[in-house]
Amino acid sequence: MRTRLDPESAVPLYHQVVRAVEYRIATGDLRAGDRLPSLREAAEDWGINLHTVRKAYINLATRGAVETRPGAGTVILGCAPAPEPRESAADTPRSWTPDGSIDDYVSLMVQEAAERWGVTPFELGRLVRARGGRDPVWVVECSEIQARDLAEQVRRRTGADARAWSLERPGSLPAGRVVATHFHYGDFRRRWPDRLPEVQFVAIRPDPSIRDRVRDRLVSTAERGPALVCEREPAMAANVAADLAPLLEAVAPVETLVCREPSAFFTAPPVDAPRLFSPRVWAELSDSARQDPQSIEIRYVIDETDLEELAETLLGTMESGVDVAGMTP
């Protein structure tokens, strides 16, 4: 049941799955009585997590397309719901020109959103408001470079007006929704305890591509030495090394290198070892230092499950009131 999904689309992944299943029902590829894959099978086939598949199956059940039966799994009930009929072809224009009215333009956008993406007018309105910047979402991290990177990840997935805010900045955090990593829960308790109810904490992990870059670096130099985590503070170096150790377990041992000046990272032994720079130290490196063959940026990405839940929260697409007791992985 493989289907291509777009993880960078503003349309949540679970909704893309819903539309894919409904399309197969509408075209006769899936018929009444056919069984959908289990949550685990579907998650592996689509390359997404169980939570996302569960949300899709719940949504399909609320739309009357499927039913979960004890011992039989989730089965197709019948045809996919047909779109609401229009009173006439003139109700919603099929095209728009600069001479058309704003009402015609909006009607066309609503129609296309429903037909192409399965997005309701309410969901479309939330997307427009998010992109319009009325409700900024502040993504908080310890450095500007990492805050900007995580904010871009939130923006791509949710379409929200995600803005970076570094803990290095003085002053108060601006008003608005807040996204932060679990690591900085203590910072919020100390600096902005009254803002804690507004914060949605997410987990982050090192970008898996770091492993390939370290492996390529070791192969190109015929070295099998350590990978050095470069930081200016011992405690932060230890934390980052702990994050990277599971990722690099089969590639190289992880050690720390603590220096106050960025230039010192390139003269400390072992000089041929790959050097992995924390986000805030990477921001301090010169262009030539970043282009050094042994330099590798430690980039963090938001956990996929947390990012999906964040998208649902920000876009107001959470569903409720459906019994999922029978939906076992």
Side-chain angles (χ1 to χ4, degrees), residues 46-63:
W46 276 309
I48 55 180
N49 58 65
L50 292 176
H51 169 81
T52 302
V53 179
R54 181 178 289 109
K55 292 293 296 181
Y57 282 16
I58 291 172
N59 191 276
L60 285 165
T62 63
R63 298 158 86 96

